Amino acid sequence: VNTKLVFLAVILQQIINHNKGDSEVIKHIVMWKFMENEEEIMKEFLSGLENLRDEIPELVSVQTGININPANEFNAVLITEFNTYEDLQSYQKNPKHIAAASVGKDKRIARQAIDFEF
C-alpha cells in the first residue's frame, strides 16, 4: 500500500468537505501506525487527544479515527484545526498536548503529518 496515496486521500477528503464560505484555517493531520495487538493503547492515546478539545483554547476542532480498512498501512488518525499557524505551534508546545502525545509512544512504529491552510 502506498502510504503517500492514503495520506493524500485523507487530505483530499478534508478539502472536499470544506465549506468555501468559511475563513481560512490551519489543518493539522497526523497518521500513526501502531504495533499489532495494541488496540487498547491506541484507543487510550486517541481518547487523550480528543480530550484536549476542552483543555487547549487554541484547538478549534479535533477528530480522531481508527482505520477500518486492513489494506491501509496506518491505523490511527488525528485531524485538528487552528485559526493560525502560531496557534498550532502553541498547541504542539502545550504540556497537556505533550503528555497526551506521549501515551503509547513506544507502541507506534510510523508517523506521517501534514499542516496546510485552506
Side-chain angles (χ1 to χ4, degrees), residues 43-105:
K43 289 176 185 177
E44 178 184 342
F45 169 69
L46 294 174
S47 177
L49 293 174
E50 286 262 354
N51 290 337
L52 294 175
R53 173 182 294 125
D54 300 323
E55 301 289 326
I56 301 177
E58 295 86 0
L59 185 55
V60 174
S61 77
V62 59
Q63 296 174 296
T64 62
I66 296 174
N67 179 47
I68 60 170
N69 183 347
N72 292 338
E73 182 175 348
F74 290 88
N75 47 16
V77 66
L78 169 72
I79 303 168
T80 54
E81 291 182 3
F82 301 87
N83 288 321
T84 66
Y85 186 69
E86 291 76 19
D87 286 350
L88 168 60
Q89 291 175 315
S90 177
Y91 160 81
Q92 290 174 324
K93 295 175 187 173
N94 187 298
K96 292 177 182 180
H97 170 260
I98 293 169
S102 70
V103 172
K105 193 169 190 170

